[in-house]
Amino acid sequence: MFPNEEACREYLSAHRWPDGVKCPRCHKSEHVYKITQPWKWECWNAECASGHAYRFSLIAGTIFENTKYPLRTWFWVLFLMLTSKKGISALQIHRVIGSGSYKTAFYMCHRLRAAMNDPEFRQLMGIVEVDETYIGGKDKNRHWDKKQGGRGTFGKTPVIGAISRKGNVVAMMIENADTATLTRFVRQTVSDKVDLVATDEHSGYRYIKWVMPHDVVAHSKGEYVRGNVHTQNIESFWSLLKRGIIGTYHNVSKKYLPLYLAEFSFRFNNRNNPDIFGTAVSGS
Ligand SMILES: [Zn+2]
């Protein structure tokens, strides 16, 4: 689709401004004029122009701004990221695009991940599963008395997630999985009008029933599904995430974990979107 830079610019423009060019600063389309330089405009709205116009380009205010890489390279990296279900490492991307350094690929991947944070988050409705998991931590580096056979949570980072049976997932890194944190997450992520919140029997979820319908599956008693009450969708998402993080990225530091969560959630939430690429480009 993108034989050259110009094709990329056409595509970006059509997706960024489907209803005509808008000023990235005041978000208005009135009093915005094309100038003779290609892909550049001027905004003369009072809030942007004080004596002289505010001049902007096609990539102003996007993640593609202030980089020396051509749009074609960005698009290629984004395409690779969006089409690999378990993620693709910066090293693999570096090998495919074959230009620049490994660091370049790493930087581009992270910048694209940051852009995948859903800006139009809507609260989850219907039947929603909530669950927490733990990511990372290398058992072999631990002192012998702290080794837990890979099953404990020592040195791992807690992540909480909610998934609507019909649609989207929201996942977030948390400092610890205490009652206050879990309750706050549910109240922020799940709509008051939810039909049912399903969790396991973790005591941190005990206050949810006060604010919304809540039911529990007792994993400790070997119960995994009771009618509509189960957490199998969020658990599938966790295993996809962990396979990606461990299999593809060979573990991920806490610093970057929110970016990987954004990437995996974006891919999951757009799994049926035929224009996932366009959505990612215009969201950035
Ligand atoms: Zn403006």
Side-chain angles (χ1 to χ4, degrees), residues 28-93:
K28 288 181 181 164
S29 49
E30 310 89 69
H31 310 295
V32 169
Y33 306 104
K34 187 150 190 12
I35 61 171
T36 46
Q37 283 164 278
W39 302 103
K40 291 223 167 91
W41 293 266
E42 280 182 354
C43 172
W44 283 92
N45 285 299
E47 53 269 63
C48 287
S50 51
H52 56 91
Y54 164 60
R55 191 170 283 193
F56 62 92
S57 74
L58 173 66
I59 57 169
T62 73
I63 53 155
F64 311 116
E65 193 180 14
N66 300 326
T67 70
K68 53 184 191 296
Y69 313 111
L71 282 176
R72 259 188 111 206
T73 310
W74 278 110
F75 281 19
W76 198 356
V77 174
L78 181 63
F79 176 79
L80 292 171
M81 286 175 80
L82 293 178
T83 51
S84 58
K85 212 177 168 199
K86 283 184 277 174
I88 180 165
S89 71
L91 193 61
Q92 289 169 286
I93 285 183

Coordinates of all heavy atoms in Angstrom, one line a residue, residues 28-93:
K28 N -9.6 23.4 15.5 CA -10.6 24.0 14.6 C -10.2 23.8 13.2 O -9.0 23.7 12.9 CB -10.8 25.5 14.9 CG -11.5 25.7 16.3 CD -11.6 27.2 16.5 CE -12.3 27.4 17.9 NZ -12.1 28.8 18.3
S29 N -11.2 23.8 12.3 CA -10.9 23.7 10.9 C -11.1 25.0 10.2 O -10.6 25.2 9.0 CB -11.7 22.6 10.2 OG -13.0 22.7 10.5
E30 N -11.8 25.9 10.8 CA -12.0 27.3 10.2 C -10.7 28.1 10.4 O -10.0 27.9 11.3 CB -13.1 28.1 10.9 CG -14.4 27.4 11.2 CD -14.5 26.6 12.5 OE1 -14.5 27.2 13.5 OE2 -14.5 25.4 12.4
H31 N -10.5 28.9 9.4 CA -9.3 29.8 9.4 C -8.0 29.0 9.4 O -7.0 29.4 10.0 CB -9.3 30.8 10.6 CG -10.7 31.5 10.7 ND1 -11.1 32.4 9.8 CD2 -11.6 31.5 11.7 CE1 -12.3 32.8 10.1 NE2 -12.7 32.3 11.2
V32 N -8.0 27.8 8.8 CA -6.8 27.0 8.6 C -6.6 27.0 7.1 O -7.4 26.7 6.3 CB -7.0 25.6 9.2 CG1 -5.9 24.7 8.7 CG2 -7.1 25.6 10.7
Y33 N -5.4 27.5 6.7 CA -5.1 27.6 5.3 C -3.8 26.9 4.9 O -2.8 26.9 5.6 CB -4.9 29.1 5.0 CG -6.1 30.0 5.4 CD1 -6.0 30.8 6.6 CD2 -7.3 29.9 4.7 CE1 -7.1 31.5 7.0 CE2 -8.4 30.6 5.2 CZ -8.3 31.4 6.3 OH -9.4 32.1 6.7
K34 N -3.9 26.3 3.7 CA -2.8 25.6 3.2 C -1.7 26.6 2.7 O -2.1 27.7 2.2 CB -3.3 24.7 2.0 CG -2.2 23.9 1.4 CD -2.7 22.6 0.8 CE -1.4 21.7 0.5 NZ -0.2 22.1 1.2
I35 N -0.5 26.3 2.9 CA 0.6 27.3 2.4 C 1.3 26.5 1.3 O 1.1 25.4 1.0 CB 1.5 27.7 3.5 CG1 2.2 26.6 4.2 CG2 0.7 28.6 4.6 CD1 3.3 27.0 5.2
T36 N 2.2 27.3 0.7 CA 2.9 26.7 -0.5 C 3.8 25.5 -0.2 O 3.9 24.6 -1.1 CB 3.7 27.8 -1.3 OG1 4.5 28.5 -0.3 CG2 2.8 28.7 -2.0
Q37 N 4.4 25.5 0.9 CA 5.2 24.3 1.3 C 4.3 23.1 1.4 O 3.2 23.2 1.9 CB 5.9 24.5 2.6 CG 7.1 25.4 2.5 CD 7.5 25.9 3.9 OE1 6.9 26.8 4.4 NE2 8.5 25.2 4.5
P38 N 4.7 21.9 0.8 CA 3.8 20.8 0.9 C 3.5 20.3 2.3 O 4.4 20.3 3.1 CB 4.6 19.7 0.1 CG 6.0 20.2 0.1 CD 6.0 21.7 0.2
W39 N 2.3 19.8 2.5 CA 1.9 19.3 3.8 C 2.1 20.2 4.9 O 2.4 19.8 6.0 CB 2.5 17.9 4.0 CG 2.3 16.9 3.0 CD1 3.2 16.5 2.0 CD2 1.1 16.2 2.7 NE1 2.6 15.6 1.2 CE2 1.3 15.4 1.6 CE3 -0.2 16.2 3.4 CZ2 0.3 14.5 1.1 CZ3 -1.2 15.3 2.9 CH2 -0.9 14.5 1.8
K40 N 1.9 21.5 4.7 CA 2.0 22.5 5.7 C 0.8 23.5 5.7 O 0.3 23.8 4.6 CB 3.3 23.3 5.6 CG 4.5 22.5 5.9 CD 5.5 23.2 6.8 CE 6.5 22.3 7.4 NZ 7.7 22.2 6.5
W41 N 0.3 23.9 6.9 CA -0.8 24.8 7.0 C -0.5 25.9 8.0 O 0.4 25.7 8.8 CB -2.1 24.0 7.4 CG -2.5 23.0 6.4 CD1 -3.5 23.1 5.5 CD2 -2.1 21.6 6.3 NE1 -3.7 22.0 4.8 CE2 -2.8 21.0 5.2 CE3 -1.1 20.8 7.0 CZ2 -2.6 19.7 4.8 CZ3 -0.9 19.5 6.5 CH2 -1.6 19.0 5.5
E42 N -1.4 26.9 8.0 CA -1.4 27.9 9.0 C -2.7 28.1 9.6 O -3.8 28.0 8.9 CB -1.0 29.3 8.3 CG 0.5 29.4 8.1 CD 0.9 30.7 7.5 OE1 0.0 31.5 7.2 OE2 2.1 31.0 7.4
C43 N -2.7 28.2 11.0 CA -3.9 28.5 11.7 C -4.0 30.0 12.1 O -3.0 30.4 12.7 CB -4.0 27.6 12.9 SG -5.4 28.0 14.0
W44 N -5.1 30.6 11.8 CA -5.2 32.1 12.1 C -6.3 32.3 13.1 O -6.7 33.4 13.3 CB -5.5 32.9 10.8 CG -4.3 33.1 10.0 CD1 -3.9 32.3 8.9 CD2 -3.4 34.2 10.1 NE1 -2.7 32.8 8.4 CE2 -2.4 33.9 9.1 CE3 -3.2 35.3 10.9 CZ2 -1.3 34.8 8.9 CZ3 -2.1 36.1 10.7 CH2 -1.2 35.9 9.8
N45 N -6.7 31.2 13.8 CA -7.6 31.4 14.9 C -7.0 32.2 16.1 O -5.8 32.0 16.3 CB -8.2 30.1 15.4 CG -9.2 29.5 14.5 OD1 -10.2 30.1 14.2 ND2 -8.8 28.3 13.9
A46 N -7.8 33.0 16.7 CA -7.2 34.0 17.8 C -6.4 33.2 18.8 O -5.3 33.7 19.2 CB -8.4 34.7 18.4
E47 N -6.8 32.0 19.2 CA -6.1 31.4 20.3 C -4.7 30.8 19.9 O -3.9 30.5 20.7 CB -6.9 30.3 21.0 CG -7.5 29.2 20.1 CD -8.9 29.6 19.6 OE1 -9.1 30.6 18.9 OE2 -9.9 28.9 19.9
C48 N -4.6 30.6 18.5 CA -3.3 30.1 18.0 C -2.4 31.2 17.5 O -1.2 31.2 17.6 CB -3.5 29.1 17.0 SG -4.1 27.5 17.6
A49 N -3.0 32.2 16.8 CA -2.3 33.2 16.1 C -2.2 34.5 17.0 O -3.3 35.1 17.3 CB -2.9 33.5 14.8
S50 N -1.1 34.9 17.3 CA -0.9 36.2 18.0 C 0.0 37.1 17.1 O 1.2 37.0 17.3 CB -0.4 36.1 19.4 OG 0.8 35.3 19.4
G51 N -0.6 37.8 16.2 CA 0.2 38.6 15.2 C 0.6 37.8 14.0 O 0.5 38.2 12.9
H52 N 1.2 36.6 14.3 CA 1.5 35.7 13.2 C 0.8 34.4 13.3 O 0.5 34.0 14.5 CB 3.1 35.6 13.1 CG 3.7 35.1 14.3 ND1 3.8 33.7 14.6 CD2 4.1 35.7 15.4 CE1 4.4 33.6 15.8 NE2 4.5 34.8 16.3
A53 N 0.6 33.7 12.2 CA -0.1 32.5 12.3 C 0.7 31.4 12.9 O 1.9 31.4 13.0 CB -0.5 32.1 10.8
Y54 N 0.0 30.4 13.4 CA 0.6 29.1 13.9 C 0.7 28.2 12.7 O -0.3 27.8 12.1 CB -0.2 28.5 15.0 CG 0.1 27.1 15.3 CD1 1.4 26.7 15.8 CD2 -0.8 26.1 15.2 CE1 1.8 25.4 16.0 CE2 -0.5 24.8 15.5 CZ 0.8 24.4 15.9 OH 1.1 23.1 16.1
R55 N 2.0 27.9 12.4 CA 2.2 27.0 11.3 C 2.4 25.6 11.7 O 3.1 25.3 12.7 CB 3.5 27.5 10.6 CG 3.8 26.9 9.2 CD 4.9 27.6 8.5 NE 4.5 28.9 8.0 CZ 5.2 29.6 7.1 NH1 6.4 29.2 6.7 NH2 4.7 30.8 6.6
F56 N 1.8 24.6 11.1 CA 2.0 23.2 11.4 C 2.0 22.3 10.2 O 1.6 22.7 9.1 CB 0.8 22.8 12.4 CG -0.6 22.8 11.7 CD1 -1.1 21.7 11.1 CD2 -1.3 24.0 11.8 CE1 -2.4 21.8 10.5 CE2 -2.6 24.0 11.3 CZ -3.1 22.9 10.6
S57 N 2.6 21.1 10.4 CA 2.7 20.2 9.4 C 1.8 19.0 9.6 O 1.2 18.9 10.6 CB 4.2 19.7 9.3 OG 4.4 18.8 10.4
L58 N 1.8 18.1 8.6 CA 1.0 16.9 8.7 C 1.3 16.0 10.0 O 0.4 15.4 10.6 CB 1.2 16.0 7.5 CG 0.6 14.6 7.5 CD1 -0.9 14.7 7.4 CD2 1.1 13.8 6.3
I59 N 2.6 16.0 10.4 CA 2.9 15.2 11.5 C 3.0 15.9 12.9 O 3.3 15.3 13.9 CB 4.3 14.4 11.3 CG1 5.4 15.4 11.0 CG2 4.1 13.4 10.2 CD1 6.8 14.8 11.0
A60 N 2.6 17.2 12.8 CA 2.6 18.0 14.1 C 1.7 17.4 15.1 O 0.5 17.1 14.8 CB 2.2 19.4 13.8
G61 N 2.2 17.2 16.3 CA 1.3 16.6 17.4 C 1.1 15.1 17.3 O 0.3 14.5 18.0
T62 N 1.7 14.4 16.4 CA 1.6 13.0 16.3 C 2.9 12.3 16.8 O 3.9 13.1 17.0 CB 1.5 12.4 14.8 OG1 2.7 12.6 14.1 CG2 0.4 13.2 14.1
I63 N 2.9 11.0 17.0 CA 4.1 10.4 17.5 C 5.2 10.4 16.4 O 6.4 10.1 16.7 CB 3.9 8.9 17.9 CG1 3.2 8.2 16.8 CG2 3.1 8.9 19.2 CD1 3.4 6.7 16.9
F64 N 4.9 10.7 15.2 CA 5.9 10.7 14.1 C 6.7 12.0 14.1 O 7.6 12.2 13.3 CB 5.2 10.5 12.8 CG 4.3 9.4 12.8 CD1 2.9 9.5 12.5 CD2 4.7 8.1 13.0 CE1 2.0 8.5 12.6 CE2 3.9 7.0 13.0 CZ 2.5 7.2 12.8
E65 N 6.3 13.0 15.0 CA 6.9 14.3 15.0 C 8.3 14.2 15.6 O 8.6 13.3 16.5 CB 6.1 15.3 15.8 CG 6.4 16.7 15.6 CD 5.5 17.6 16.5 OE1 4.8 17.1 17.4 OE2 5.6 18.8 16.2
N66 N 9.2 15.1 15.2 CA 10.6 15.2 15.8 C 11.3 13.9 15.7 O 12.1 13.5 16.6 CB 10.5 15.6 17.2 CG 9.9 17.0 17.4 OD1 10.0 17.8 16.5 ND2 9.1 17.2 18.5
T67 N 11.2 13.1 14.6 CA 12.0 12.0 14.4 C 12.6 12.1 13.0 O 12.0 12.7 12.1 CB 11.2 10.7 14.5 OG1 10.4 10.5 13.4 CG2 10.4 10.6 15.8
K68 N 13.7 11.4 12.9 CA 14.4 11.5 11.6 C 14.0 10.3 10.7 O 14.5 10.2 9.6 CB 15.9 11.6 11.7 CG 16.5 10.5 12.6 CD 18.0 10.7 12.8 CE 18.8 9.6 13.4 NZ 18.4 9.2 14.8
Y69 N 13.1 9.5 11.2 CA 12.7 8.3 10.4 C 11.6 8.6 9.5 O 10.6 9.2 9.8 CB 12.4 7.1 11.4 CG 13.3 7.0 12.5 CD1 13.0 7.3 13.8 CD2 14.6 6.6 12.2 CE1 13.9 7.3 14.8 CE2 15.6 6.5 13.2 CZ 15.2 6.9 14.5 OH 16.2 6.8 15.5
P70 N 11.7 8.1 8.3 CA 10.6 8.3 7.3 C 9.3 7.6 7.8 O 9.3 6.6 8.5 CB 11.1 7.6 6.0 CG 12.4 7.0 6.3 CD 12.8 7.2 7.7
L71 N 8.2 8.1 7.3 CA 6.9 7.5 7.7 C 6.8 6.1 7.2 O 6.2 5.2 7.9 CB 5.7 8.3 7.0 CG 5.3 9.6 7.7 CD1 4.2 10.3 6.8 CD2 4.8 9.4 9.1
R72 N 7.4 5.8 6.1 CA 7.4 4.4 5.6 C 8.0 3.4 6.6 O 7.5 2.3 6.8 CB 8.2 4.3 4.3 CG 7.3 4.2 3.1 CD 8.1 3.9 1.9 NE 7.8 2.6 1.3 CZ 8.7 1.9 0.6 NH1 9.9 2.3 0.4 NH2 8.3 0.7 0.2
T73 N 9.1 3.8 7.3 CA 9.7 2.9 8.3 C 8.8 2.8 9.5 O 8.5 1.7 10.0 CB 11.0 3.5 8.8 OG1 11.8 3.8 7.6 CG2 11.8 2.5 9.6
W74 N 8.2 3.9 9.9 CA 7.2 3.9 11.1 C 6.1 2.9 10.7 O 5.6 2.1 11.5 CB 6.6 5.3 11.3 CG 7.5 6.2 12.1 CD1 8.1 7.3 11.7 CD2 7.7 6.1 13.5 NE1 8.8 7.9 12.7 CE2 8.5 7.2 13.9 CE3 7.3 5.2 14.5 CZ2 9.0 7.4 15.2 CZ3 7.8 5.4 15.8 CH2 8.6 6.5 16.1
F75 N 5.5 3.1 9.5 CA 4.4 2.3 9.1 C 4.7 0.8 9.1 O 3.9 -0.1 9.5 CB 3.8 2.7 7.8 CG 3.0 4.0 7.8 CD1 3.0 4.8 8.9 CD2 2.1 4.3 6.8 CE1 2.3 6.0 8.9 CE2 1.3 5.4 6.8 CZ 1.4 6.3 7.9
W76 N 5.9 0.5 8.6 CA 6.4 -0.9 8.5 C 6.5 -1.5 9.9 O 6.0 -2.6 10.2 CB 7.7 -0.9 7.8 CG 8.1 -2.3 7.3 CD1 7.4 -3.4 7.5 CD2 9.2 -2.6 6.5 NE1 8.0 -4.5 6.8 CE2 9.2 -4.0 6.2 CE3 10.3 -1.8 6.0 CZ2 10.2 -4.6 5.5 CZ3 11.3 -2.5 5.3 CH2 11.2 -3.9 5.0
V77 N 7.1 -0.8 10.9 CA 7.2 -1.2 12.2 C 5.8 -1.4 12.9 O 5.6 -2.5 13.5 CB 8.1 -0.3 13.1 CG1 8.1 -0.7 14.5 CG2 9.5 -0.2 12.5
L78 N 4.9 -0.5 12.7 CA 3.6 -0.6 13.2 C 2.9 -1.8 12.7 O 2.2 -2.5 13.4 CB 2.8 0.7 12.9 CG 1.4 0.7 13.4 CD1 1.3 0.7 15.0 CD2 0.6 2.0 13.0
F79 N 3.0 -2.0 11.4 CA 2.4 -3.2 10.7 C 2.9 -4.5 11.3 O 2.1 -5.4 11.7 CB 2.7 -3.2 9.2 CG 2.1 -4.4 8.5 CD1 0.8 -4.5 8.2 CD2 3.0 -5.4 8.2 CE1 0.3 -5.6 7.5 CE2 2.5 -6.6 7.5 CZ 1.1 -6.6 7.2
L80 N 4.2 -4.6 11.5 CA 4.8 -5.8 12.1 C 4.2 -6.0 13.6 O 3.9 -7.1 13.9 CB 6.3 -5.7 12.2 CG 7.0 -5.7 10.8 CD1 8.5 -5.4 11.0 CD2 6.8 -7.1 10.2
M81 N 4.1 -4.9 14.3 CA 3.6 -5.0 15.7 C 2.1 -5.5 15.7 O 1.7 -6.3 16.5 CB 3.7 -3.7 16.4 CG 5.2 -3.4 16.8 SD 5.3 -1.7 17.5 CE 4.7 -2.1 19.2
L82 N 1.3 -4.9 14.8 CA -0.1 -5.2 14.9 C -0.5 -6.6 14.3 O -1.5 -7.1 14.7 CB -0.9 -4.1 14.1 CG -0.8 -2.7 14.6 CD1 -1.6 -1.8 13.7 CD2 -1.4 -2.7 16.1
T83 N 0.4 -7.1 13.5 CA 0.0 -8.4 12.8 C 0.7 -9.6 13.6 O 0.4 -10.7 13.2 CB 0.5 -8.4 11.4 OG1 1.8 -8.0 11.3 CG2 -0.4 -7.5 10.5
S84 N 1.4 -9.4 14.6 CA 2.0 -10.5 15.3 C 1.2 -10.7 16.6 O 1.3 -9.8 17.5 CB 3.5 -10.4 15.6 OG 3.7 -9.2 16.3
K85 N 0.5 -11.7 16.7 CA -0.4 -11.9 17.9 C 0.3 -11.9 19.2 O -0.2 -11.4 20.2 CB -1.2 -13.2 17.7 CG -2.6 -13.1 18.2 CD -3.3 -14.5 18.0 CE -4.6 -14.4 18.8 NZ -5.2 -15.8 19.0
K86 N 1.5 -12.5 19.3 CA 2.2 -12.5 20.5 C 3.2 -11.4 20.7 O 4.0 -11.5 21.6 CB 2.9 -13.9 20.7 CG 1.9 -15.0 21.0 CD 2.6 -16.3 21.3 CE 2.8 -17.1 20.0 NZ 3.6 -18.3 20.2
G87 N 3.1 -10.5 19.8 CA 4.1 -9.4 19.8 C 5.4 -9.7 19.0 O 5.6 -10.9 18.7
I88 N 6.1 -8.7 18.7 CA 7.4 -8.9 18.0 C 8.5 -8.1 18.7 O 8.2 -7.0 19.0 CB 7.2 -8.6 16.5 CG1 8.5 -8.8 15.7 CG2 6.7 -7.2 16.3 CD1 8.2 -8.8 14.2
S89 N 9.6 -8.7 18.9 CA 10.7 -8.0 19.6 C 11.3 -7.0 18.8 O 11.3 -7.1 17.5 CB 11.7 -9.0 20.2 OG 12.4 -9.5 19.1
A90 N 11.9 -6.0 19.4 CA 12.7 -5.0 18.7 C 13.8 -5.6 17.9 O 14.1 -5.1 16.8 CB 13.2 -3.9 19.7
L91 N 14.4 -6.7 18.4 CA 15.4 -7.4 17.6 C 14.9 -7.9 16.3 O 15.5 -7.8 15.3 CB 16.1 -8.4 18.5 CG 17.4 -9.0 18.0 CD1 18.4 -8.0 17.9 CD2 17.8 -10.2 18.9
Q92 N 13.7 -8.6 16.4 CA 13.1 -9.1 15.2 C 12.8 -8.0 14.2 O 13.0 -8.2 13.0 CB 11.8 -9.9 15.5 CG 12.0 -11.2 16.3 CD 10.7 -11.7 16.8 OE1 10.2 -11.2 17.8 NE2 10.2 -12.7 16.2
I93 N 12.3 -6.9 14.7 CA 11.9 -5.8 13.8 C 13.2 -5.2 13.2 O 13.2 -4.9 12.0 CB 11.2 -4.7 14.6 CG1 9.7 -5.2 14.9 CG2 11.2 -3.3 13.9 CD1 8.8 -4.3 15.6

